[in-house]
């Protein structure tokens, strides 16, 4: 086993760390307080190639391995969860799904500008009455000649006001339960699409999240991703990629908690010594360190599995559950270490705590992941081979066609 980062990965890590320190850190408190999503950061990330870091070069990406995406996400979330969420949604949930399930037309028209960062992608699964219970969704897609007509609404959609392309899941045959779902690429400019961002979220206040409304939206048949009825499988395999990046981001949030806590514990004195000298404070920092190291290993194992081209739903779910819980616990303890100061805007830890809650809810709640892990261990849940796989890394060059892909 090789636990070291390659030279390329180290270079990316250094670049993103510098970028976050220079472009995000000085402004983030203001953006968070003003509930402002700074789109300029997306443009700058695109310039650095961060919007398609693990997408093959032939589709406009950087062609780096899947663990490089994890490194990018960890470094971004060290700055703020909002920008890591943007990469999770754009790259993992949308672009990697097109890479896995899209046809050549869709890869050229939609994936390539997304990987280059010229267009932004989002992922719209959740509805007011369908979160964990995906099959309860109400959005409908009816065939009309070569097109589909979509009607319904989605909620809690990250980047809703910003995305150019939205992967929308809708029922094509409502009587078939989860087998009746299909996946469509919907452009913001299609008539009948509108969005409305939320204000006053608990956390990720520097991010954009809200509703997507679809009113008689005509979507060309060529924008159906995969086959009719394959939407549930596509949505779940997208989550294998999204959850990986969420878990990786959690590693960065723990890193930020340790950084702030160690600094404060060495400065603040009680009873004639720095609070870091009190064993109960050391215990909180020790737990953060254990959470950081364990989460990091779980994440890199998933990245390695993806590089091999192997199914990783079980391992990804574990990494996501564990790392997000560890990050939330680390943030709560970071506030505790700061005492009353942790309860104020003067220090970043209260933001970490508010931000750390959403990842315990989105992309499969903590409870859903616990159920999954229990079912895997008991032998009640087994993963079947998918019709389309994420390509293994290193990626094949143009002209070569990988096994299992058309
Ligand atoms: C900031 C943010 C960004 C988001 N971005 C996106 C996005 O980009 N795209 C998107 O599609 N969605 C997004 N979501 C939505 C998110 O994926 C859902 O909120 C999540 O799937 C949970 O669904 P729900 O909120 O409807 O909760 P529910 O499913 O109603 O669950 C409520 C509670 O019941 C528990 N529960 C539910 N079922 C079970 C069960 N079988 N056993 C035990 N407990 C259970 C849950 O764990 C939870 O505690 C986002 C959410 C947030 C907060």
């Amino acid at each position: 086993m090789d636990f070291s980062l390659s030279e390329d990965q180290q270079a990316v890590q250094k670049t993103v760390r510098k970028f976050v320190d220079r472009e995000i850190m000085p402004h983030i408190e203001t953006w968070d307080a003003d509930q402002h999503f700074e789109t300029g950061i997306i443009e700058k990330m695109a310039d650095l190639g961060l919007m398609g870091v693990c997408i093959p070069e032939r589709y406009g990406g950087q062609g780096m391995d899947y663990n490089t995406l994890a490194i990018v996400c960890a470094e971004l979330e060290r700055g703020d969860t909002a920008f890591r969420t943007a990469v999770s949604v754009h790259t993992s949930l949308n672009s990697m799904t097109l890479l896995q399930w899209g046809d050549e037309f869709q890869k050229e028209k939609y994936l390539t500008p997304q990987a280059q960062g010229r267009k932004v992608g989002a992922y719209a699964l959740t509805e007011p009455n369908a979160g964990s219970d995906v099959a309860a969704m109400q959005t409908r897609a009816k065939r009309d000649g070569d097109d589909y007509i979509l009607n319904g609404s989605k909620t809690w959609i990250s980047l809703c006001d910003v995305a150019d392309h939205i992967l929308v899941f809708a029922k094509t045959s409502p009587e078939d339960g989860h087998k009746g779902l299909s996946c469509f690429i919907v452009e913001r400019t299609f008539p009948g699409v509108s969005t409305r961002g939320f204000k006053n979220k608990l956390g990720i206040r520097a991010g954009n999240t809200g509703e997507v409304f679809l009113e008689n939206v005509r979507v060309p048949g060529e924008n159906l991703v995969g086959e009719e009825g394959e939407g549930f499988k596509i949505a779940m395999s997208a989550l294998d990629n999204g959850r990986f990046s969420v878990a990786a981001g959690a590693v960065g949030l723990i890193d930020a908690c340790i950084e702030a806590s160690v600094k404060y514990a060495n400065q603040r004195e009680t009873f004639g010594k720095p609070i870091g000298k009190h064993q109960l404070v050391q215990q909180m920092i020790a737990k953060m360190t254990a959470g950081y190291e364990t989460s990091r290993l779980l994440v890199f194992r998933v990245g390695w599995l993806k590089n091999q081209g192997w199914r990783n739903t079980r391992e990804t779910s574990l990494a996501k559950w564990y790392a997000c819980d560890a990050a939330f616990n680390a943030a709560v303890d970071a506030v505790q270490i700061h005492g009353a100061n942790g309860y104020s805007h003067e220090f970043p830890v209260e933001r970490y705590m508010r931000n750390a809650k959403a990842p315990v809810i989105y992309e499969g709640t903590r409870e859903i992941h616990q159920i999954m892990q229990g079912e895997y261990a008991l032998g009640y849940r087994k993963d079947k081979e998918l019709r389309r796989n994420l390509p293994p890394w290193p990626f094949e060059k143009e002209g070569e066609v990988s096994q299992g892909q058309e």
Side-chain angles (χ1 to χ4, degrees):
M1 278 175 241
D2 181 357
F3 291 101
S4 60
L5 300 187
S6 69
E7 276 183 21
D8 284 349
Q9 288 172 332
Q10 286 178 44
V12 169
Q13 188 176 41
K14 220 169 131 189
T15 303
V16 184
R17 186 160 282 233
K18 253 171 95 183
F19 172 75
V20 167
D21 285 343
R22 200 181 52 230
E23 303 287 348
I24 297 178
M25 295 299 204
H27 312 289
I28 189 61
E29 295 296 340
T30 312
W31 293 338
D32 186 77
D34 295 347
Q35 306 191 45
H36 167 72
F37 180 68
E38 179 52 48
T39 48
I41 292 292
I42 299 274
E43 285 156 28
K44 287 174 184 169
M45 289 201 291
D47 292 344
L48 288 174
L50 302 181
M51 300 300 278
V53 79
C54 64
I55 303 296
E57 286 168 274
R58 59 193 281 214
Y59 298 122
Q62 301 301 307
M64 301 192 79
D65 83 314
Y66 296 111
N67 269 329
T68 308
L69 173 67
I71 291 165
V72 169
C73 288
E75 290 302 325
L76 285 176
E77 189 146 357
R78 196 184 132 261
D80 195 76
T81 308
F83 302 105
R84 192 278 304 150
T85 299
V87 167
S88 288
V89 168
H90 169 88
T91 304
S92 303
L93 288 174
N94 188 317
S95 297
M96 288 169 77
T97 303
L98 292 182
L99 180 64
Q100 181 168 354
W101 295 93
D103 57 28
E104 278 308 312
F105 162 78
Q106 293 164 350
K107 285 179 187 167
E108 247 176 62
K109 181 164 180 192
Y110 294 107
L111 173 60
T112 302
Q114 286 179 197
Q116 290 165 339
R118 289 189 287 116
K119 296 282 180 192
V120 174
Y123 172 92
L125 184 66
T126 305
E127 297 187 4
N129 292 312
S132 308
D133 185 5
V134 171
M137 74 168 55
Q138 301 286 314
T139 300
R140 297 278 185 270
K142 267 196 183 156
R143 256 236 180 247
D144 184 43
D146 289 340
D147 304 334
Y148 290 87
I149 307 294
L150 268 60
N151 276 293
S153 73
K154 300 285 176 179
T155 190
W156 287 102
I157 306 308
S158 304
L159 299 181
C160 67
D161 295 318
V162 179
D164 302 286
H165 311 149
I166 309 173
L167 278 187
V168 172
F169 296 85
K171 280 191 171 161
T172 34
S173 42
E175 62 288 355
D176 291 335
H178 71 276
K179 290 189 175 157
L181 302 191
S182 301
C183 174
F184 301 89
I185 303 167
V186 173
E187 295 187 30
R188 164 177 302 282
T189 52
F190 286 172
V193 176
S194 60
T195 62
R196 184 170 60 204
F198 292 146
K199 285 288 175 207
N200 300 325
K201 301 192 300 274
L202 172 68
I204 321 188
R205 287 164 83 96
N208 172 245
T209 321
E211 293 165 290
V212 176
F213 305 100
L214 304 149
E215 217 178 312
N216 291 321
V217 178
R218 182 170 288 276
V219 178
E222 62 196 16
N223 283 22
L224 172 74
V225 181
E227 293 170 359
E228 248 188 49
E230 230 173 9
F232 187 79
K233 282 185 189 157
I234 296 173
M236 294 304 121
S237 73
L239 289 171
D240 285 348
N241 300 325
R243 288 166 177 171
F244 167 59
S245 63
V246 172
V251 173
L253 191 124
I254 305 173
D255 193 12
C257 290
I258 295 172
E259 206 175 306
S261 300
V262 165
K263 188 172 164 203
Y264 193 80
N266 279 316
Q267 282 169 356
R268 176 77 177 176
E269 293 196 357
T270 64
F271 302 97
K273 53 185 175 184
I275 58 167
K277 295 284 180 186
H278 300 304
Q279 287 183 345
L280 289 176
V281 174
Q282 290 173 6
Q283 184 184 47
M284 288 190 268
I285 291 176
K287 279 191 200 161
M288 290 180 202
T289 310
Y292 173 81
E293 293 293 346
T294 315
S295 305
R296 193 170 174 271
L297 289 173
L298 288 172
V299 167
F300 280 153
R301 178 176 64 153
V302 172
W304 179 81
L305 287 169
K306 288 186 189 298
N307 285 344
Q308 310 310 306
W310 294 344
R311 185 93 197 244
N312 51 77
T313 305
R314 180 177 183 169
E315 294 81 2
T316 302
S317 154
L318 180 63
K320 194 274 180 187
W321 165 34
Y322 188 89
C324 293
D325 264 7
F328 183 69
N329 293 338
V332 170
D333 278 349
V335 170
Q336 190 69 17
I337 287 171
H338 284 68
N341 284 334
Y343 211 64
S344 100
H345 280 295
E346 295 302 309
F347 289 84
V349 288
E350 61 86 30
R351 178 168 51 88
Y352 300 157
M353 193 176 98
R354 287 185 288 103
N355 283 352
K357 191 60 198 173
V360 180
I361 296 169
Y362 62 44
E363 305 222 19
T365 63
R366 176 182 59 201
E367 292 69 36
I368 293 298
H369 289 294
Q370 287 176 349
I371 290 167
M372 286 174 73
Q373 292 305 315
E375 287 180 352
Y376 277 123
L378 285 157
Y380 303 158
R381 175 185 282 262
K382 289 199 171 57
D383 293 324
K384 293 191 195 120
E385 198 53 39
L386 290 171
R387 193 173 67 77
R388 306 288 301 246
N389 296 310
L390 199 61
W393 187 87
F395 299 125
E396 287 161 346
K397 297 281 174 250
E398 198 151 2
E400 295 173 356
V401 177
S402 61
Q403 255 187 346
Q405 311 283 318
E406 289 142 347

